[in-house]
Amino acid sequence: ICGICPVSHLLASAKTGDKILAVQVPPAGEKLRRLMNLGQITQSHALSFFHLSSPDFLLGFDSDPQSRNVFGLIQSDPELARAGIRLRQFGQKIIEILGARKIHAAWAVPGGVRTPLSEEGRNWILERLPEARQTTEQALALFKKLLDQFSTEADVFGKFPSLFMGLVAPDGTWEHYGGQIRFMDSEGNIVADGLHEDNYADFIGEAVEPWSYLKFPYYKPMGYPDGMYRVGPLARVNICERFGTEAADRELQELRDRAGARVATSSFFYHYARLVEILGAIDRIEQFMYDPDLMSPRVRAEAGINSLEGIGVSEAPRGTLFHHYNVNENGLIEKVNLIIATGQNNLAMNRTITQIAQHYINGNEIAEGMLNRVEAGIRAFDPCLSCSTHTAGQMP
């Protein structure tokens, strides 16, 4: 479906296939899927922070657009740029070690995965973990310093009340693959908890507007557009009770302290949340390296078509991803509905750029730096349009 975060669609699709086969995935299969998703989160967040957003932070929102990019960053701070590139490579290599290719690995399948982790692959990951952790800790320290410098941006880059949605474990721990769906408001109140993807149509509505190819999902009990909610790294760190690893829990608490609330409502904090998630992902990757299940040959449950409908959910780097399939007796897909993270952030992205524009733009003179801040409000969400846009009928 998409080459930007193919692992996300691969896993949501495989989980939907599990439902159609009506099978229980072996423990090794689930853990290996989780490992690949942690690699995907790491590489995607590193791309967003180092390649796409850090030129704004380190070179300045008003700097020359010709050099306000990753190449300008390489000129300005070659060590940081190189570290960011290698952190992304670390995540990509995990995907390649498991699935034999970095993009569109045909590895996670209904019932599990095709192959276990090799000893060689395990050793490579263990060897590169310390460097990945060091880079992430450096990036966190850098961003925390920058927060003081960009206090105005933190106040106007999409700082408004909304709901937040994502997956959490049954005990409220941060989740990225399984668990249950939770909605939380800006005050930290749980609006809905223990929701299941099979019933998503009961709590998620999908509006459309004539001026956009993006759907406008909303929380159904509150109606459209009042049921606006945000998904992705900021939502995940807001709705969870804890990260579940010592280092990430410490950073999560500091993020909340710096936000001045249990729930961070500024979209500028998406950048901060990504770095905390990378650190937590690295912690969990390291834990998996000592799990004997990952070497087990029992990685897949075999079955035929046992249900004509399946709904799967997983956390993509950009947020919660739903796949809904109807199939015929031969397993051929006849109908599909996808609810993409970028679409679920659609209402919030529009609110964000409105707030930024109202703050920075006065009169008819629109400086490039002002326009860049509006664009940077979108970059905070790290949207991806390739799988989130749609049209019925012929594209005009």
Side-chain angles (χ1 to χ4, degrees):
I1 288 176
C2 173
I4 304 299
C5 52
V7 170
S8 309
H9 284 290
L10 181 68
L11 294 181
S13 184
K15 289 183 77 176
T16 309
D18 298 340
K19 301 272 190 71
I20 289 168
L21 300 189
V23 294
Q24 186 170 341
V25 176
E30 179 178 321
K31 289 176 182 178
L32 286 160
R33 285 181 181 181
R34 284 176 171 274
L35 178 60
M36 182 178 263
N37 205 33
L38 292 168
Q40 168 66 15
I41 287 169
T42 300
Q43 76 87 10
S44 181
H45 284 358
L47 173 67
S48 173
F49 183 79
F50 288 97
H51 293 62
L52 304 180
S53 292
S54 65
D56 282 334
F57 308 145
L58 300 171
L59 306 177
F61 286 95
D62 299 299
S63 59
D64 183 355
Q66 297 299 317
S67 59
R68 193 178 60 227
N69 49 48
V70 71
F71 302 107
L73 184 64
I74 290 168
Q75 292 285 324
S76 170
D77 194 338
E79 281 191 28
L80 180 71
R82 191 179 299 114
I85 290 166
R86 283 178 65 82
L87 180 61
R88 185 181 181 221
Q89 285 175 339
F90 172 72
Q92 286 182 309
K93 185 66 176 178
I94 290 173
I95 297 166
E96 187 179 21
I97 285 169
L98 293 171
R101 55 194 297 182
K102 294 174 186 174
I103 299 174
H104 299 315
W107 175 77
V109 288
V113 299
R114 292 188 189 277
T115 53
L117 175 66
S118 67
E119 189 64 44
E120 181 186 6
R122 176 181 177 272
N123 291 338
W124 186 93
I125 294 169
L126 278 169
E127 207 174 277
R128 286 288 292 272
L129 270 167
E131 181 191 344
R133 183 185 303 282
Q134 183 182 14
T135 298
T136 307
E137 289 171 348
Q138 287 173 341
L140 271 162
L142 173 66
F143 188 78
K144 285 184 277 195
K145 281 183 187 173
L146 291 168
L147 266 180
D148 298 332
Q149 187 180 330
F150 294 114
S151 56
T152 302
E153 283 79 3
D155 276 341
V156 300
F157 271 45
K159 190 172 186 178
F160 49 78
S162 75
L163 298 178
F164 295 91
M165 188 199 81
L167 295 173
V168 290
D171 67 353
T173 301
W174 180 87
E175 185 52 271
H176 66 100
Y177 172 86
Q180 53 205 26
I181 297 161
R182 171 180 286 181
F183 281 87
M184 180 176 279
D185 69 16
S186 297
E187 304 300 316
N189 302 306
I190 295 174
V191 175
D193 206 9
L195 300 176
H196 199 272
E197 67 271 16
D198 288 349
N199 307 315
Y200 79 88
D202 293 339
F203 53 87
I204 294 178
E206 301 174 65
V208 292
E209 297 284 1
W211 45 269
S212 176
Y213 288 121
L214 216 56
K215 289 193 282 196
F216 292 77
Y218 60 96
Y219 180 57
K220 240 179 183 174
M222 291 177 65
Y224 177 79
D226 294 341
M228 173 182 66
Y229 62 93
R230 284 178 267 188
V231 297
L234 184 65
R236 289 190 290 260
V237 301
N238 277 338
I239 65 171
C240 73
E241 305 301 327
R242 69 196 67 81
F243 223 98
T245 68
E246 186 180 344
D249 278 339
R250 192 166 55 244
E251 292 294 345
L252 174 61
Q253 187 55 53
E254 186 171 348
L255 181 151
R256 290 172 177 172
D257 292 343
R258 287 175 176 270
R262 163 66 176 76
V263 171
T265 58
S266 170
S267 297
F268 194 75
F269 272 68
Y270 266 97
H271 303 296
Y272 197 167
R274 276 186 198 98
L275 295 174
V276 176
E277 284 200 321
I278 295 175
L279 185 63
I282 288 169
D283 284 341
R284 291 183 179 219
I285 289 167
E286 185 170 24
Q287 290 171 357
F288 272 137
M289 292 305 98
Y290 300 100
D291 189 327
D293 275 347
L294 271 68
M295 308 292 184
S296 168
R298 297 182 183 86
V299 296
R300 183 179 183 181
E302 302 280 352
I305 305 303
N306 289 306
S307 175
L308 300 183
E309 183 176 19
I311 299 168
V313 64
S314 187
E315 287 287 343
R318 289 154 189 83
T320 319
L321 171 64
F322 294 87
H323 276 218
H324 181 182
Y325 304 163
N326 293 92
V327 303
N328 66 15
E329 293 291 344
N330 297 314
L332 294 173
I333 296 175
E334 296 190 324
K335 184 182 176 184
V336 171
N337 187 38
L338 307 181
I339 305 182
I340 309 296
T342 294
Q344 291 174 88
N345 279 329
N346 195 2
L347 286 167
M349 286 192 292
N350 282 296
R351 178 77 63 87
T352 294
I353 61 170
T354 301
Q355 188 182 50
I356 296 171
Q358 286 171 342
H359 180 84
Y360 284 104
I361 295 177
N362 298 297
N364 296 323
E365 290 296 316
I366 303 177
E368 196 280 334
M370 292 179 180
L371 189 60
N372 183 45
R373 282 175 172 81
V374 176
E375 293 176 358
I378 293 291
R379 282 195 288 278
F381 290 87
D382 193 27
C384 182
L385 297 177
S386 45
C387 64
S388 56
T389 47
H390 72 294
T391 178
Q394 187 174 352
M395 181 77 82

